[in-house]
Amino acid sequence: MNESTSTKKVVVNSIVYSFSGILLKCFSFFLLPLYTVYLTTEDYGITSIATSFIGTMTFIVSLSLYSAVMRFFVDLKNEPEKLKRFYGTITVFTLLSGVFWFALITLLRDFVSDKIFSGIDYYPVIVVCVAALVFTCQSTIYDDILKSQQKALKSSILTIITFFITLGLNILFIVVMKMGALGSLLSTLITQTLYTLYFWIDMVIHKQIKFCIDLGLLKEALKYSIPIIPHNLATKLALLISKVLIGRSEERRVGKECR
């Protein structure tokens, strides 16, 4: 690929990503009145903390491995078999890590419920949130694979489809079934699960992945990804802490009013 063709592709991809991003923000803005009617202040607090929790924990669960996708795609694009093993390795490792963290958080459910989710019961709200975390890590890997392969149109179309599936499920669970925050989190879990299944099937059909654990590739990927975890966590962790503190402050205020 010559320089002019490469530059053109970068420009086109940038335009596609920008357009889809603006489109999704517009849709989200016009949907705010719908959610403010059907979600209570408590529901907003729960979904806000849950969203920040998932955004923060993805870096910890995955050890920022999806940050290595673009770097290793450049290194391995001329070695397709090795690239397949790399994709398979980070996918399997991240999935196993997600299962481990799911089990650990379940064991520490009382601590997590008290210190992070302001006394919210682990079942069913937090367990749905943690399950959504496992599949969000998988879908993030696929997003970065598509970006590294410069498949902007496919990535944007999938993002928009995912948005409307989530919207439809939110309307079903929140508006029709009156499930509140649990409905919102359940929508996220179902959407991320479907997206993950599509990721696996799509990669297998196109023969772009080999599910395995290649210790050599994993070691090289972790050597790249682990040092950048603090950088990736910084903003997300600060946001999560602020929301937890706000939630606990609100909980104390309500407690005083009740007394």
Side-chain angles (χ1 to χ4, degrees):
M1 184 182 295
N2 59 45
E3 186 175 345
S4 61
T5 303
S6 179
T7 302
K8 181 180 179 181
K9 194 165 187 177
V10 170
V11 172
V12 170
N13 287 342
S14 299
I15 293 172
V16 171
Y17 282 126
S18 299
F19 177 77
S20 65
I22 293 171
L23 190 64
L24 289 175
K25 287 184 182 297
C26 289
F27 286 143
S28 299
F29 176 78
F30 288 114
L31 287 171
L32 283 176
L34 174 66
Y35 295 137
T36 54
V37 172
Y38 291 97
L39 288 179
T40 65
T41 303
E42 182 181 2
D43 289 329
Y44 266 120
I46 294 171
T47 55
S48 180
I49 290 175
T51 301
S52 292
F53 176 78
I54 292 173
T56 301
M57 286 298 296
T58 52
F59 296 113
I60 297 174
V61 171
S62 68
L63 297 179
S64 281
L65 273 173
Y66 41 77
S67 298
V69 169
M70 292 191 185
R71 180 267 170 100
F72 279 85
F73 172 76
V74 174
D75 291 346
L76 302 175
K77 62 182 179 180
N78 295 321
E79 301 179 71
E81 289 303 318
K82 201 170 182 179
L83 184 61
K84 290 179 188 179
R85 293 182 65 83
F86 170 72
Y87 287 153
T89 295
I90 62 171
T91 298
V92 173
F93 178 84
T94 302
L95 181 62
L96 293 176
S97 177
V99 172
F100 166 79
W101 278 97
F102 185 94
L104 181 62
I105 292 172
T106 300
L107 289 174
L108 300 175
R109 56 187 175 274
D110 293 336
F111 175 84
V112 173
S113 175
D114 180 55
K115 301 301 182 183
I116 299 179
F117 285 88
S118 301
I120 300 167
D121 292 336
Y122 184 75
Y123 301 100
V125 173
I126 303 177
V127 72
V128 171
C129 173
V130 178
L133 165 65
V134 175
F135 292 103
T136 298
C137 290
Q138 292 291 303
S139 62
T140 305
I141 291 173
Y142 188 46
D143 287 338
D144 284 331
I145 288 175
L146 292 176
K147 290 175 182 176
S148 69
Q149 296 175 348
Q150 298 189 55
K151 295 180 179 179
L153 183 59
K154 182 176 182 177
S155 176
S156 297
I157 290 173
L158 288 173
T159 300
I160 292 172
I161 291 173
T162 300
F163 172 84
F164 281 106
I165 291 175
T166 304
L167 170 61
L169 291 172
N170 274 328
I171 292 174
L172 173 62
F173 293 139
I174 298 174
V175 178
V176 178
M177 300 179 68
K178 313 292 184 185
M179 294 177 68
L182 176 59
S184 177
L185 293 174
L186 196 57
S187 299
T188 300
L189 171 59
I190 294 173
T191 304
Q192 293 301 320
T193 302
L194 292 174
Y195 195 69
T196 297
L197 291 174
Y198 178 83
F199 159 41
W200 293 343
I201 293 170
D202 183 53
M203 294 291 284
V204 169
I205 288 175
H206 291 92
K207 299 180 180 179
Q208 292 183 319
I209 193 169
K210 182 175 182 179
F211 294 106
C212 63
I213 292 287
D214 187 314
L215 295 179
L217 288 172
L218 179 61
K219 181 180 178 181
E220 290 301 312
L222 290 174
K223 283 170 62 177
Y224 174 82
S225 67
I226 289 178
I228 62 178
I229 291 177
H231 169 74
N232 288 337
L233 270 180
T235 303
K236 296 285 187 180
L237 188 59
L239 186 61
L240 174 61
I241 292 172
S242 67
K243 289 184 178 181
V244 169
L245 292 176
I246 291 172
R248 296 181 71 83
S249 176
E250 182 66 16
E251 185 182 16
R252 287 195 294 268
R253 183 187 67 79
V254 173
K256 288 180 182 178
E257 290 180 355
C258 291
R259 288 196 295 269

